[in-house]
Amino acid sequence: MTDLNALTAANAKRWANAKLTRSFTPVARHLAAPTAKARYQAVSGETGVPWAVIAVIHQRECSQDWTGSLAQGDPWNRVSVHVPAGRGPFRSWEEAAIDALVNCAPYAARNKDWSIGRTLAKLEQYNGLGYAARGRPSPYIWSGTDQYRSGKYVRDGVYDSNVVDSQPGCAGLLMAMMALDPTITFTGATITPAITAAPSSTEKPAAPSIANPAKGSIGAFIANIFTAIFRRKS
């Protein structure tokens, strides 16, 4: 059984050391847009779960599709078939989201500790603790940061160490959202992590040629002679 206190400490340490390896800003802008934020805040008001946490779950579960349930991405206007199965149908996205946070494991609405370490541990519980049991960073949290390289459950109970999760992880999404919206805060969280610098795009010097001889070469010596002759003629 996973020690949640140890997982909380591990994720707090990873957050402090993490650097983003891709840009999360475009997705974060959609999650923090005023209309979306208002809907997340409405659910937050009913559950006590921070609205930014609701937003990143929505992104991970169904790419912020408002027809998909927060619980597992199934259409909220039909009975769900994926875990948690048998939920719904609901009258709105908001009603389905409240049900997911209040009545479905890991019962996020019961959580009272929203420090960054515990927040990330709760998000990891939301997806499952299989990665923690293996001693591996969860891509659900860390994909798109230098804390994660590879490894993914490709289906229930089947882990492939070579697969790389291409979805943006919750930690990177929260970092990007915090940079855009200073009202988003978590105890112990800073947003010092930055996107890893890309290789310099400065153009390389042109290779030596007749038109561009290397400095100090015979070609450069001859070119200087011709330059001097033409200057005298002009």
Side-chain angles (χ1 to χ4, degrees), residues 25-115:
T25 302
V27 175
R29 288 190 190 281
H30 285 288
L31 297 177
T35 302
K37 180 178 177 179
R39 298 187 73 172
Y40 296 137
Q41 286 178 319
V43 175
S44 177
E46 295 293 327
T47 62
V49 179
W51 73 266
V53 171
I54 298 169
V56 300
I57 294 172
H58 193 200
Q59 176 63 33
R60 281 294 310 197
E61 293 301 321
C62 52
S63 300
Q64 206 190 14
D65 183 352
W66 295 99
T67 68
S69 173
L70 199 70
Q72 70 299 79
D74 288 353
W76 50 259
N77 61 350
R78 298 199 293 269
V79 177
S80 63
V81 296
H82 296 95
V83 179
R87 311 305 301 177
F90 299 98
R91 292 171 296 180
S92 66
W93 179 86
E94 284 80 359
E95 184 179 73
I98 291 168
D99 177 74
L101 298 170
V102 173
N103 300 319
C104 300
Y107 307 102
R110 301 179 188 177
N111 186 51
K112 303 303 179 186
D113 178 2
W114 294 106
S115 63

Side-chain angles (χ1 to χ4, degrees), residues 9-216:
N11 277 332
K13 184 177 180 180
R14 287 172 183 144
W15 174 280
N17 294 327
K19 289 182 173 56
L20 305 185
T21 55
R22 71 178 75 149
S23 175
F24 285 75
T25 302
V27 175
R29 288 190 190 281
H30 285 288
L31 297 177
T35 302
K37 180 178 177 179
R39 298 187 73 172
Y40 296 137
Q41 286 178 319
V43 175
S44 177
E46 295 293 327
T47 62
V49 179
W51 73 266
V53 171
I54 298 169
V56 300
I57 294 172
H58 193 200
Q59 176 63 33
R60 281 294 310 197
E61 293 301 321
C62 52
S63 300
Q64 206 190 14
D65 183 352
W66 295 99
T67 68
S69 173
L70 199 70
Q72 70 299 79
D74 288 353
W76 50 259
N77 61 350
R78 298 199 293 269
V79 177
S80 63
V81 296
H82 296 95
V83 179
R87 311 305 301 177
F90 299 98
R91 292 171 296 180
S92 66
W93 179 86
E94 284 80 359
E95 184 179 73
I98 291 168
D99 177 74
L101 298 170
V102 173
N103 300 319
C104 300
Y107 307 102
R110 301 179 188 177
N111 186 51
K112 303 303 179 186
D113 178 2
W114 294 106
S115 63
I116 192 59
R118 182 64 78 177
T119 296
L120 296 174
K122 182 58 65 175
L123 285 166
E124 190 162 343
Q125 280 184 284
Y126 202 93
N127 180 244
L129 297 176
Y131 298 100
R134 289 176 173 271
R136 300 292 298 272
S138 168
Y140 193 87
I141 308 300
W142 299 107
S143 179
T145 78
D146 63 353
Q147 301 301 298
Y148 168 77
R149 292 188 178 181
S150 65
K152 181 176 172 65
Y153 281 93
V154 293
R155 56 184 180 276
D156 289 347
V158 180
Y159 178 80
D160 189 328
S161 61
N162 296 314
V163 174
V164 177
D165 191 329
S166 61
Q167 287 185 270
C170 293
L173 288 170
L174 288 175
M175 291 175 191
M177 291 175 71
M178 290 170 71
L180 294 171
D181 186 339
T183 67
I184 302 171
T185 59
F186 297 94
T187 304
T190 62
I191 52 171
T192 52
I195 295 175
T196 302
S200 174
S201 60
T202 305
E203 293 184 3
K204 295 180 180 179
S209 64
I210 294 174
N212 181 38
K215 186 176 180 181

